[in-house]
């Protein structure tokens, strides 16, 4: 008999939605034999930067000769992307089998686990079965009550950044959100923390002191003038393949984490660090692809802080023609933004970070998700940036992209939702520009 598909196995748990809490996942893992206790963990939380830090760490550790599991979310196209061993996603059949094992262990008399809890338990079970040396795990939502937060003694905990997102579940202020993300810190366990807003830093610093966590607060890496594409931080020099200013701090956080592992006895050479950095890839974040023989920049940019990173990157690009409506010395390209966003996102914050005079905005729905209506977004965008050249609403992403890519003088950027990028990748054959 053929195995049920991954989608069918997980779909029945989707109705339980997002429900934070550790009781269900703790019971489920206990019924599975507590697989999470058999593999050392590096735990990574933060508003932005989690995925790239996880990618840096897993690739460096793999280059050092370790067998490394990586768990991230959400996926772009396929559930298998979330569970990787040595940068290779679990096979479809492997995920089916491990999901069946998890589902069979669920106590029908107890409250049902959520979909995220089921896939997280499957990741832990698979990693334990693979007898890995270490797992790099990204928090799903928040930290304190996230299903990944079940290990008492992580090797290192990392908090990459904190900004205003998921306020509906984590709390209305940055300080509230910081308390939730600081919930991954454990007594006496090393912490690596990126630059934080003052309110968030106060909360995190207090928690670090309460738990007596040895903590590092690395500064961003700095470019090496005589070695284009290389940076340095904390005594290390390495290539930085992922674009954007944010990677200066993200890579520095990864290096600080590696330093902590070295202090614990992990054998990670300078050569492994440089090679791991050089080989790191993280799709869907400041990624160039080719569509209709034209370059297309794609990025999730699903919150205001991520949108600011994208906006800064676009501002660093040289315009193909003069922009008389910009201040003297400015060279930002004219952009056609192709955007869709979930209804729960900070639409105004994202628009404010991206939209500039003379740009075009083509708005689309995010398929199969709780999407904001393009018409509502259009009204908001016009209020935020009245000097937009054109605003259009489309029923489908690919109709918008077809029109956008015909404007040869403009840079085309697809952004606003990782789910929208997943829809793009699932239906488009692309190649790197």
């Amino acid at each position: 008999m053929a195995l049920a598909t991954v989608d069918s196995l997980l779909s029945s748990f989707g109705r339980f939605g997002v429900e934070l809490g550790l009781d269900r996942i703790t019971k489920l893992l206990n019924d599975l034999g507590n697989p999470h206790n058999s593999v050392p963990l590096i735990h990574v939380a933060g508003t932005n930067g989690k995925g790239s830090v996880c990618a840096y760490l897993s690739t460096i550790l793999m280059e050092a000769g370790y067998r490394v599991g990586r768990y991230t979310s959400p996926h772009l196209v396929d559930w298998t992307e979330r569970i990787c061993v040595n940068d290779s996603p679990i096979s479809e059949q492997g995920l089916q089998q491990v999901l069946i094992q998890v589902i069979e262990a669920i106590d029908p008399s107890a409250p049902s686990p959520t979909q995220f809890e089921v896939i997280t338990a499957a990741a832990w079970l698979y990693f334990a079965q693979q007898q890995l040396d270490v797992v790099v795990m990204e928090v799903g939502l928040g930290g304190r009550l996230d299903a990944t937060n079940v290990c008492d003694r992580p090797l290192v905990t990392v908090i990459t950044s904190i900004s205003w997102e998921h306020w509906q579940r984590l709390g209305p202020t940055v300080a509230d959100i910081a308390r939730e993300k600081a919930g991954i810190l454990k007594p006496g366990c090393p912490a690596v923390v990126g630059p934080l807003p003052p309110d968030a830093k106060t909360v995190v610093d207090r928690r670090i002191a309460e738990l007596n966590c040895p903590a590092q607060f690395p500064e961003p890496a700095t470019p090496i003038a005589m070695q284009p594409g290389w940076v340095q931080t904390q005594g290390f020099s390495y290539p930085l393949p992922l674009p954007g200013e944010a990677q200066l701090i993200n890579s520095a956080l990864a290096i600080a984490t590696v330093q902590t592992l070295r202090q614990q006895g992990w054998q990670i050479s300078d050569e492994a660090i440089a090679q791991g950095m050089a080989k790191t890839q993280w799709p869907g974040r400041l990624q160039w692809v080719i569509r209709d023989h034209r370059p297309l920049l794609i990025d999730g940019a699903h919150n205001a802080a991520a949108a600011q990173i994208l906006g800064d990157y676009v501002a660093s690009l040289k315009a193909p023609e003069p922009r008389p409506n910009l201040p003297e010395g400015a060279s930002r390209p004219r952009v056609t933004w192709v955007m869709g966003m979930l209804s729960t996102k900070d639409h105004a914050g994202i628009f404010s970070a991206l939209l500039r005079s003379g740009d075009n905005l083509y708005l689309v729905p995010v398929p199969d998700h709780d999407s904001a209506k393009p018409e509502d977004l259009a009204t908001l965008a016009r209020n935020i940036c009245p000097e937009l050249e054109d605003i259009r609403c489309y029923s489908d992403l690919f109709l918008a992209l077809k029109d956008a890519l015909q404007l040869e003088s403009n840079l085309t950027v697809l952004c606003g939702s990782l789910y929208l990028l997943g829809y793009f990748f699932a239906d488009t054959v692309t190649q790197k520009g």
Side-chain angles (χ1 to χ4, degrees):
M1 181 181 296
L3 292 176
T5 66
V6 169
D7 282 337
S8 66
L9 289 169
L10 287 169
S11 62
S12 63
F13 297 95
R15 68 181 186 276
F16 299 106
V18 176
E19 186 177 348
L20 297 176
L22 298 180
D23 291 345
R24 295 177 303 275
I25 186 67
T26 299
K27 174 173 174 48
L28 179 54
L29 288 171
N30 182 68
D31 292 341
L32 288 166
N34 292 314
H36 59 295
N37 290 334
S38 64
V39 186
L41 171 71
I42 301 169
H43 203 191
V44 183
T47 303
N48 294 304
K50 301 187 297 295
S52 56
V53 169
C54 288
Y56 288 132
L57 289 171
S58 60
T59 309
I60 289 171
L61 287 163
M62 185 178 68
E63 286 297 312
Y66 294 106
R67 278 178 52 78
V68 187
R70 185 180 71 211
Y71 180 64
T72 56
S73 61
H75 58 272
L76 290 177
V77 178
D78 191 275
W79 285 98
T80 60
E81 298 168 31
R82 299 189 181 210
I83 303 172
C84 294
V85 171
N86 280 6
D87 277 352
S88 296
I90 186 174
S91 68
E92 181 84 8
Q93 184 178 22
L95 183 51
Q96 290 168 344
Q97 291 173 341
V98 77
L99 281 172
I100 288 172
Q101 291 177 268
V102 169
I103 292 169
E104 288 178 345
I106 294 173
D107 182 352
S109 66
S112 175
T114 65
Q115 187 179 76
F116 184 71
E117 290 164 353
V118 170
I119 189 70
T120 302
W124 276 120
L125 184 59
Y126 182 71
F127 292 150
Q129 292 169 349
Q130 294 296 305
Q131 299 181 326
L132 303 179
D133 297 308
V134 61
V135 166
V136 181
M137 183 164 283
E138 175 187 357
V139 167
L141 178 61
R144 181 176 66 92
L145 298 176
D146 185 75
T148 64
N149 194 29
V150 291
C151 291
D152 294 332
R153 298 292 302 175
L155 298 170
V156 191
T157 53
V158 183
I159 299 177
T160 60
S161 64
I162 295 175
S163 59
W164 195 60
E165 192 194 26
H166 296 302
W167 63 92
Q168 302 95 333
R169 296 187 181 278
L170 303 182
T173 70
V174 169
D176 293 324
I177 295 168
R179 289 186 192 94
E180 294 302 311
K181 295 189 185 297
I184 71 167
L185 299 169
K186 300 298 188 301
C189 293
V192 175
V193 183
L196 304 178
D199 288 353
K201 181 170 173 53
T202 297
V203 171
V204 173
D205 286 351
R206 183 185 305 124
R207 190 61 178 157
I208 285 172
E210 291 170 351
L211 297 175
N212 194 28
C213 298
Q216 294 186 62
F217 303 87
E219 295 294 322
T222 56
I224 301 174
M226 302 302 292
Q227 288 181 279
W230 282 64
V231 299
Q232 58 187 1
T233 181
Q234 307 157 65
F236 294 93
S237 299
Y238 50 91
L240 193 58
L242 302 184
E245 288 289 315
Q247 297 309 327
L248 297 176
I249 184 59
N250 291 341
S251 65
L253 293 170
I255 296 298
T257 303
V258 168
Q259 282 187 312
T260 300
L261 294 175
R262 280 174 145 184
Q263 293 166 3
Q264 296 174 1
W266 292 73
Q267 301 300 306
I268 308 168
S269 67
D270 291 357
E271 182 181 17
I273 293 172
Q275 290 178 347
M277 283 292 184
K279 294 180 179 180
T280 299
Q281 298 179 346
W282 194 233
R285 285 76 171 179
L286 295 181
Q287 181 182 0
W288 289 94
V289 299
I290 296 295
R291 179 163 176 89
D292 295 342
H293 309 291
R294 290 284 314 284
L296 172 65
L297 177 62
I298 60 176
D299 188 82
H302 58 286
N303 56 53
Q308 188 61 59
I309 292 168
L310 171 59
D312 290 344
Y313 177 70
V314 169
S316 74
L317 302 175
K318 183 175 177 58
E321 59 184 23
R323 291 289 305 276
N325 58 328
L326 290 181
E328 183 178 356
S331 59
R332 177 189 180 279
R334 192 185 304 271
V335 179
T336 297
W337 303 98
V338 180
M339 298 181 66
M341 291 185 271
L342 299 185
S343 65
T344 55
K345 296 298 181 176
D346 178 13
H347 309 138
I350 293 170
F351 281 152
S352 296
L354 296 177
L355 303 181
R356 297 294 181 268
S357 173
D359 287 350
N360 297 317
L361 177 62
Y362 293 178
L363 294 159
V364 302
V366 181
D368 302 320
H369 289 84
D370 182 16
S371 177
K373 294 180 179 179
E375 294 77 12
D376 294 341
L377 293 176
T379 300
L380 177 63
R382 183 65 77 185
N383 290 334
I384 289 174
C385 188
E387 301 84 12
L388 287 170
E389 180 73 18
D390 189 17
I391 301 179
R392 303 184 189 180
C393 296
Y394 292 82
S395 61
D396 181 74
L397 167 63
F398 296 105
L399 297 174
L401 278 176
K402 181 179 179 181
D403 286 352
L405 290 166
Q406 291 176 354
L407 302 172
E408 295 188 2
S409 64
N410 283 29
L411 166 66
T412 304
V413 183
L414 168 61
C415 65
S417 169
L418 290 170
Y419 296 114
L420 186 65
L421 266 56
Y423 178 64
F424 171 83
F425 280 121
D427 290 84
T428 309
V429 176
T430 62
Q431 63 183 43
K432 289 184 179 179

